Each structure stands twice: as structure tokens, then as C-alpha cells.
Amino acid sequence: SEIIQRASNYLSQLSIATEDEYYLDNSLRSRYDTYNDYVNYMHEQRASTRDALKMTAYSLEHNIPIQGVVSESAKSSWKNNINSLINISTYIMIAMSVLIISNEYTSGSIRLLLIRPRKRYKILLSKLVSLAMYWGMMLLGSFVITFVLNMILYKSSDLLVPELNIVGGNVVEINAIVSMLIYTFTKIASVLPMLLLSFLLAIVMRRAALPIVLPVMIQGVSSVAQVVSMSVIEIDGMEFIKYLPFAYSDMTVFFTNPVGLFMYNNSFDIGSIFGNIFTYDMVSQFIPLIGIIYLVAFIAIEITLSFIVFIKQQIKN
């Protein structure tokens, strides 16, 4: 196709300057600390462009639309809906988890539970399990309802069309349902630390107001911090930010696909199209594994602290 030809031409123009040319070019030296940094960056850009070309060619050859490029896409609509529903359900569960704990403290019924010959960790565990079951049923209902509604509303539905991705330099097809489940669980894992934080604060403070408000505020601030982190990664001396938790508050950003912007730029201006791919590369400079480690650590710490505080807590008359 014409756009693949243009992209191929653009790729051929991504030549790497020699070391002498690098030192003579003030703009290059101002953007990169060393010549090696510049060379590594250019290799990354060439690799991203090749991946985009591979995926585009595969999409055209096998008639499989690329995520994010289908107009009136049922899959895109489903993702927007599930994002909103998970966020809303998280706020509901924050309020529920706090009220379940704080109401027992304020009413004094917690004393009746603790004087029974039942281990405290079992009491708290039962509350966590009941909350998890309620949230799970809510999310399962949301998943099924949004799936069915999008299938009905979009006659030429792409919901069950496989996702294309690059793995090891090769284009692979990922089952649509598997991809949806991975996306959903990734979104749930991203908001889980805020829910567990509210649970912990309710145990520590024994009141409802702050344990509800504070996690919601942190969630809002973390969303802004993620955008800022992704924006400043290109600034000299800011590479360290990819090791901080701010950029990993919503792990679904790593599902971004550069080819959608690459294929469907309105003016088909090749510089603008690949400028969008370079924007994607800002995201790709972050390391998803670090985000996973942060998520697991936050979840483990919050659950552990909740049990420690609850078990050691003294209940006064």
C-alpha cells in the first residue's frame, strides 16, 4: 500500500550520523549526552519503525484490523466502558470496605467479634474474602453486560477479532477473549492498591471520612503524575524517573500500539505519523516489569500491615 511505501522510504532516511557528524551538530549534542546514547536511541527508532511496518503488512495480508484503528470499533468501545466501570466499581468498593470496618468500630460490635475464641486474622480474612467476592461479581457482570451490549450495538463487530502484537520481532495473533481478560485484570491490578489502602486506613483510623477521601485523591494525583512522568522522560537527566512508581499507576498504558496512529493520520504526513510512533517510544522507555514489582509490593505491604495492625490493636470499652 501507499502508506507502507512511504513508511519504508522514511525508514531508509533514518540513517545514523557518524561520530564526527554528531560532534559537529549542536542539536544532536544538546539532545544526547554521548554519541552512544544517540546511536542507541536511533536503533530503537528503527526497530519501532520496522515493527510498525511488519504489523501493518500482516494486518493487510490477513485482513485483521489493528487495535485502535477501526472506526466505530466495538472493541475500543468495550475498553472505554470497562475502564469506566472498573473505576466506578473501585470507588464503590472503597466506600464499602471502609464502612464495613469503621461501622463495627463506631457501633462497638467489633468488641463482640474479638472476645470470641476466633483468631483475629480469620475475622479480617473473612471480610477481605467477602469484599473480593462482591467486587468479583460486580466486575463479572460488568464484563459480560458490556461485551453483549457492544456485540448488539455494533453490527460488524470486531470484538472477537484477534489482537496483533510484536513478540520477539515477529507478529503474533492473540485470542480476543484472552486479550480482553488480560486487559481487564491489568486494570483491576492497577486500582487494587488504592482499594487496599482504604481498607488499611479504616483499620488504623477506625473512622470513615479520611479512609474514603484520601485514596480517591491519591488516585487522581497518580493519574496526573503518570502523564507528567511520561512527558519528562525525554528531558536530559530525567531517565531515573522510569524507576519511580509514578509512571506505573495505570499499567494499561503499556497496551499502547503505535501502528494505529501510524496508519490513520488524516493528512498522511509521514513526519507526523512517525512523530506519533516516537511518542509511543516514550512509553516504551519505561519498564513494565518495574510496574509489576511495585504493584505486587504495594499489595503485599498493605495486606500485611492490615493484618498486623488488626491483630495487635487494642479495643477499648
Side-chain angles (χ1 to χ4, degrees), residues 221-246:
V221 171
S222 65
S223 299
V224 176
Q226 183 172 40
V227 174
V228 173
S229 299
M230 298 256 175
S231 302
V232 302
I233 187 66
E234 296 286 347
I235 299 174
D236 290 341
M238 296 298 291
E239 294 83 2
F240 70 89
I241 206 161
K242 66 183 175 183
Y243 300 108
L244 301 178
F246 308 119

Side-chain angles (χ1 to χ4, degrees), residues 7-270:
S8 300
N9 293 338
Y10 184 82
L11 178 61
S12 66
Q13 297 170 18
L14 284 175
S15 58
I16 300 175
T18 65
E19 192 167 358
D20 289 336
E21 291 171 337
Y22 166 80
Y23 285 109
L24 290 173
D25 192 325
N26 291 331
S27 64
L28 287 179
R29 286 191 290 110
S30 65
R31 291 179 60 193
Y32 309 99
D33 292 334
T34 66
Y35 179 68
N36 285 337
D37 289 342
Y38 159 72
V39 171
N40 291 336
Y41 180 80
M42 289 301 293
H43 281 310
E44 290 172 1
Q45 306 314 307
R46 292 176 66 86
S48 295
T49 307
R50 290 192 190 97
D51 287 346
L53 285 169
K54 287 179 186 177
M55 191 178 290
T56 306
Y58 190 97
S59 171
L60 294 172
E61 181 181 351
H62 296 84
N63 195 29
I64 299 176
I66 297 173
Q67 174 189 341
V69 304
V70 179
S71 60
E72 297 186 357
S73 165
K75 192 175 294 184
S76 296
S77 175
W78 175 86
K79 283 188 175 181
N80 291 333
N81 292 337
I82 207 69
N83 264 324
S84 299
L85 288 170
I86 289 175
N87 286 332
I88 292 170
S89 70
T90 302
Y91 297 140
I92 294 172
M93 292 307 299
I94 285 174
M96 283 188 60
S97 64
V98 170
L99 292 173
I100 283 175
I101 298 295
S102 62
N103 284 347
E104 292 199 356
Y105 281 106
T106 54
S107 67
S109 59
I110 191 70
R111 292 185 68 254
L112 299 176
L113 286 173
L114 297 182
I115 61 176
R116 294 177 181 176
R118 188 180 181 188
K119 292 184 178 180
R120 287 191 177 190
Y121 80 87
K122 290 184 178 180
I123 296 172
L124 194 63
L125 182 61
S126 66
K127 294 184 182 300
L128 272 175
V129 171
S130 62
L131 285 169
M133 291 177 62
Y134 187 83
W135 197 28
M137 289 188 291
M138 190 187 303
L139 291 173
L140 180 61
S142 300
F143 185 95
V144 173
I145 290 170
T146 54
F147 185 89
V148 172
L149 284 177
N150 279 287
M151 285 285 286
I152 294 172
L153 292 173
Y154 294 88
K155 295 179 181 179
S156 57
S157 177
D158 63 322
L159 269 176
L160 298 178
V161 175
E163 295 274 3
L164 296 182
N165 212 329
I166 298 288
V167 177
N170 299 314
V171 181
V172 296
E173 296 181 23
I174 302 175
N175 180 273
I177 299 297
V178 171
S179 177
M180 288 179 181
L181 289 173
I182 292 172
Y183 184 90
T184 302
F185 283 119
T186 302
K187 183 66 180 179
I188 292 170
S190 296
V191 299
L192 188 56
M194 290 302 106
L195 178 54
L196 290 173
L197 177 61
S198 67
F199 191 74
L200 171 60
L201 291 174
I203 295 171
V204 173
M205 297 179 179
R206 312 183 192 183
R207 294 290 184 272
L210 194 57
I212 291 176
V213 174
L214 189 59
V216 174
M217 290 178 61
I218 292 175
Q219 183 72 14
V221 171
S222 65
S223 299
V224 176
Q226 183 172 40
V227 174
V228 173
S229 299
M230 298 256 175
S231 302
V232 302
I233 187 66
E234 296 286 347
I235 299 174
D236 290 341
M238 296 298 291
E239 294 83 2
F240 70 89
I241 206 161
K242 66 183 175 183
Y243 300 108
L244 301 178
F246 308 119
Y248 305 101
S249 59
D250 184 356
M251 292 292 289
T252 59
V253 298
F254 296 101
F255 285 80
T256 305
N257 190 316
V259 188
L261 295 172
F262 157 80
M263 288 182 66
Y264 286 87
N265 181 279
N266 290 333
S267 64
F268 289 103
D269 177 79
I270 203 67

